[in-house]
Amino acid sequence: MNWDDARFFLALARCGTLRKAAGQLLVDQATVGRRITALEETLGSKLFIRTPKNFSLSPLGDELLPDVIKMENAMLAIRRKASNGDDSMGGNVSIATTDSMAEVFVIPALKKLREQYPEITVTLLTSVNISDISYRSADMAIRGARPEEKTLIIKRLATIEMGLYTTEEYIQKKGMPIEGTQLQGHDLLMFPRDLVPRHWDNFCGESLVSPNVVLQSNSQILLRSATAHGLGIGLLSSFMADKDPKLIRVFPQSRDWVDIWLVLHPDLKRSARIRAVIKTLEVEFSKQHG
């Protein structure tokens, strides 16, 4: 199995569907299907068990996965080391972050980066639950949880404020919440428990007991939209929610603070284009949140 085959195998193993794998690889679904079929024919054995809904690893695929991940890490290490010490102000930099931070902080920073360094291009990957970047195809990550891996370069970019928000329409229908009542009788809009478990125990100062969660989403932008449409009470980043005229702050004195971390692999720290991107991001976070 060469690396070009391996990346198709990994994408389908991680995503579980041709559509999601194709989106990650920036190809069409048919291409993923053909490449996987050709790889299985070359190996003479099935790598995936196909069901109407998804692809799951076969026993052979499951056995090969750790070895293919090692291949991926080796390829990423080669790329990082090739970039290390690169003085060129051109080339691509990949950034992994959440959709809300991408919208409010990263995109404005990239506009300034383009003005100053037009030869630098960016691949922006968004998710809520960003895994350790040493196992992902990203040069750096901006995330709300400090990673535990000690080999990574980690720097705090900002501490952001989150609060509870709703709309006048919702308040007229359900009434203003009373502090200390655990938001009983109110409709809540939340991240899934497995993504942000702490919010299910403490929702911006309110201890939750059997909460009435009417919508779960892994996207804060969608949670903001649902809140603005009057679906319920959402815990949102203030840098985003305070700009929406439809949203009303609930319990303004209650705040949930989240540290935002920049995470970088040490192999990339001397790359000129990486340093340029980091500096632009730091300025934007400082300006928006100084």
Side-chain angles (χ1 to χ4, degrees):
M1 187 186 299
N2 60 41
W3 169 240
D4 200 40
D5 291 330
R7 66 191 186 93
F8 279 83
F9 169 76
L10 277 177
L12 189 55
R14 285 168 172 161
C15 296
T17 68
L18 291 176
R19 181 181 62 82
K20 291 181 179 178
Q24 186 180 97
L25 294 165
L26 302 179
V27 299
D28 57 58
Q29 297 183 44
T31 299
V32 179
R34 286 196 302 267
R35 294 295 295 269
I36 294 299
T37 299
L39 178 57
E40 290 178 329
E41 290 175 353
T42 300
L43 296 174
S45 184
K46 293 293 184 183
L47 294 171
F48 293 92
I49 299 170
R50 293 154 173 81
T51 70
K53 291 187 176 181
N54 60 18
F55 284 65
S56 58
L57 287 171
S58 70
L60 175 61
D62 196 50
E63 186 176 348
L64 290 178
L65 182 60
D67 296 317
V68 180
I69 290 175
K70 290 179 183 177
M71 184 187 297
E72 177 189 39
N73 289 335
M75 289 301 300
L76 293 174
I78 290 170
R79 190 184 75 176
R80 288 192 300 265
K81 289 174 182 177
S83 297
N84 189 20
D86 181 5
D87 291 331
S88 170
M89 280 301 185
N92 188 261
V93 176
S94 55
I95 305 171
T97 188
T98 65
D99 52 3
S100 56
M101 282 191 284
E103 180 184 66
V104 177
F105 297 108
V106 180
I107 294 299
L110 296 185
K111 181 182 178 183
K112 296 178 176 60
L113 183 75
R114 288 284 304 156
E115 294 169 354
Q116 193 168 6
Y117 305 108
E119 299 302 315
I120 297 177
T121 62
V122 173
T123 299
L124 188 56
L125 309 170
T126 62
S127 175
V128 171
N129 192 26
I130 303 171
S131 299
D132 192 324
I133 63 166
S134 63
Y135 302 107
R136 295 279 184 169
S137 300
D139 297 319
M140 66 183 72
I142 303 169
R143 50 186 289 174
R146 183 185 177 108
E148 296 180 359
E149 186 171 334
K150 298 186 184 302
T151 59
L152 297 171
I153 296 173
I154 303 168
K155 180 174 183 178
R156 186 169 62 83
L157 284 175
T159 299
I160 65 170
E161 175 189 341
M162 299 186 74
L164 298 176
Y165 293 84
T166 191
T167 61
E168 184 64 36
E169 175 190 1
Y170 175 84
I171 292 172
Q172 289 179 1
K173 181 175 63 175
K174 288 279 192 173
M176 178 64 79
I178 300 173
E179 194 169 3
T181 59
Q182 303 169 335
L183 296 171
Q184 292 292 321
H186 285 279
D187 301 336
L188 305 185
L189 317 171
M190 300 181 68
F191 288 116
R193 187 192 293 268
D194 61 332
L195 291 184
V196 192
R198 67 187 184 88
H199 287 173
W200 288 70
D201 297 322
N202 188 308
F203 202 51
C204 198
E206 291 292 310
S207 299
L208 299 184
V209 178
S210 301
N212 182 35
V213 182
V214 300
L215 174 69
Q216 299 179 49
S217 175
N218 67 348
S219 166
Q220 185 172 184
I221 290 196
L222 293 182
L223 289 174
R224 177 189 63 180
S225 178
T227 305
H229 278 83
L231 267 68
I233 299 172
L235 177 56
L236 306 173
S237 297
S238 299
F239 64 73
M240 181 174 61
D242 285 346
K243 297 177 181 178
D244 192 325
K246 294 181 181 178
L247 296 178
I248 297 172
R249 186 76 176 257
V250 178
F251 311 152
Q253 70 282 3
S254 297
R255 296 174 174 86
D256 187 273
W257 299 99
V258 179
D259 288 328
I260 303 302
W261 304 95
L262 174 71
V263 186
L264 175 72
H265 199 284
D267 288 343
L268 295 171
K269 65 182 179 180
R270 289 196 295 273
S271 168
R273 66 176 177 271
I274 293 289
R275 293 200 307 269
V277 171
I278 291 173
K279 182 177 179 181
T280 308
L281 288 168
E282 288 175 336
V283 169
E284 189 64 29
F285 271 89
S286 174
K287 182 186 76 173
Q288 296 253 14
H289 228 63

